[in-house]
Amino acid sequence: DSGVTQTPKHLITATGQRVTLRCSPRSGDLSVYWYQQSLDQGLQFLIHYYNGEERAKGNILERFSAQQFPDLHSELNLSSLELGDSALYFCASSAGQGWQPQHFGDGTRLSIL
Amino acid sequence: GQQVMQIPQYQHVQEGEDFTTYCNSSTTLSNIQWYKQRPGGHPVFLIQLVKSGEVKKQKRLTFQFGEAKKNSSLHITATQTTDVGTYFCAGPGGANNLFFGTGTRLTVIP
């Protein structure tokens, strides 16, 4: 058990919809990272927050947004969903503000129909 | 842009055989990380290498960082069925993020 909690585990929705993925980092960790894993793209870095502030942004679409709240949990919002957004979305956390995630959650599997 | 390629993409070995995956970067890396992802699971951090020519061992796993800090390898001695999974290397990308390699999927045949 990594200590990182992601909800929901599975999400099925339709194109054009909007969803919110939630992540609670491991206790004591201040950094939260979001990654997208699809079959043809591997693990793609989306965004990194440290103690509520955005630290780095990767290949995150404009239709996607994220935030980290004062209690350190984070949400990834995906809007105007397209078929290509179907993927496994991982949240990871670490204690420091570096860019290396230490602990990954089990992921949210998003399926767009 | 940053590219981290791993070879092979897939590897099937008989249980007890050795296994090696190689990671090659188009640019010099300040450090490199290795992760393992079991089928249906999430990536698990294995190790970080920082120094040129560094070699680290974890039981049957041996990690090396090249002298030029542009390549790395992971070697598993006498594979076991518990070694099944995809092994990723990852290095610093631009703008403070981690860039994952393409991964090597290991299958161990009992």
Side-chain angles (χ1 to χ4, degrees):
Chain A
D1 181 17
S2 67
V4 179
T5 304
Q6 287 189 250
T7 57
K9 292 190 182 303
H10 303 277
L11 202 48
I12 302 174
T13 188
T15 55
Q17 295 298 305
R18 172 190 170 93
V19 296
T20 297
L21 312 184
R22 183 188 168 98
C23 169
S24 294
R26 180 181 166 107
S27 178
D29 285 357
L30 299 179
S31 273
V32 169
Y33 315 78
W34 286 97
Y35 285 85
Q36 179 192 57
Q37 186 174 41
S38 53
L39 286 176
D40 59 346
Q41 293 291 322
L43 271 161
Q44 300 290 316
F45 168 73
L46 295 178
I47 200 162
H48 168 204
Y49 281 87
Y50 175 76
N51 203 21
E53 293 189 2
E54 182 183 304
R55 294 287 295 174
K57 185 178 282 190
N59 297 321
I60 186 167
L61 300 171
E62 286 189 9
R63 300 183 286 108
F64 296 1
S65 65
Q67 54 184 328
Q68 185 180 28
F69 295 87
D71 67 352
L72 301 178
H73 92 270
S74 177
E75 293 181 356
L76 178 66
N77 300 295
L78 315 176
S79 63
S80 302
L81 288 168
E82 303 175 357
L83 293 176
D85 296 328
S86 294
L88 196 51
Y89 291 84
F90 284 109
C91 170
S93 72
S94 67
Q97 54 184 312
W99 34 261
Q100 303 101 317
Q102 291 280 339
H103 314 285
F104 278 77
D106 290 336
T108 292
R109 183 168 294 282
L110 176 64
S111 299
I112 312 298
L113 303 180
Chain B
Q2 174 72 32
Q3 287 194 12
V4 179
M5 301 300 295
Q6 279 183 256
I7 53 171
Q9 190 175 1
Y10 302 94
Q11 183 78 59
H12 294 71
V13 299
Q14 205 74 35
E15 188 173 17
E17 292 182 340
D18 292 356
F19 159 76
T20 304
T21 174
Y22 301 91
C23 181
N24 298 297
S25 170
S26 57
T27 60
T28 301
L29 301 170
S30 58
N31 57 72
I32 194 162
Q33 279 68 228
W34 284 92
Y35 293 79
K36 175 185 177 182
Q37 185 175 18
R38 293 180 183 275
H42 58 263
V44 174
F45 173 77
L46 294 177
I47 207 161
Q48 180 185 51
L49 304 172
V50 179
K51 299 177 183 177
S52 169
E54 187 171 15
V55 178
K56 287 188 177 180
K57 292 190 175 185
Q58 290 179 352
K59 297 182 180 178
R60 295 179 294 104
L61 276 60
T62 302
F63 303 85
Q64 290 190 327
F65 201 9
E67 294 289 341
K69 301 183 77 173
K70 294 181 71 172
N71 55 71
S72 181
S73 66
L74 158 59
H75 179 83
I76 302 178
T77 304
T79 55
Q80 300 175 359
T81 54
T82 54
D83 296 325
V84 164
T86 300
Y87 293 84
F88 293 96
C89 63
N96 303 316
N97 68 77
L98 196 62
F99 192 96
F100 279 78
T102 47
T104 295
R105 182 176 296 180
L106 172 65
T107 301
V108 179
I109 305 164

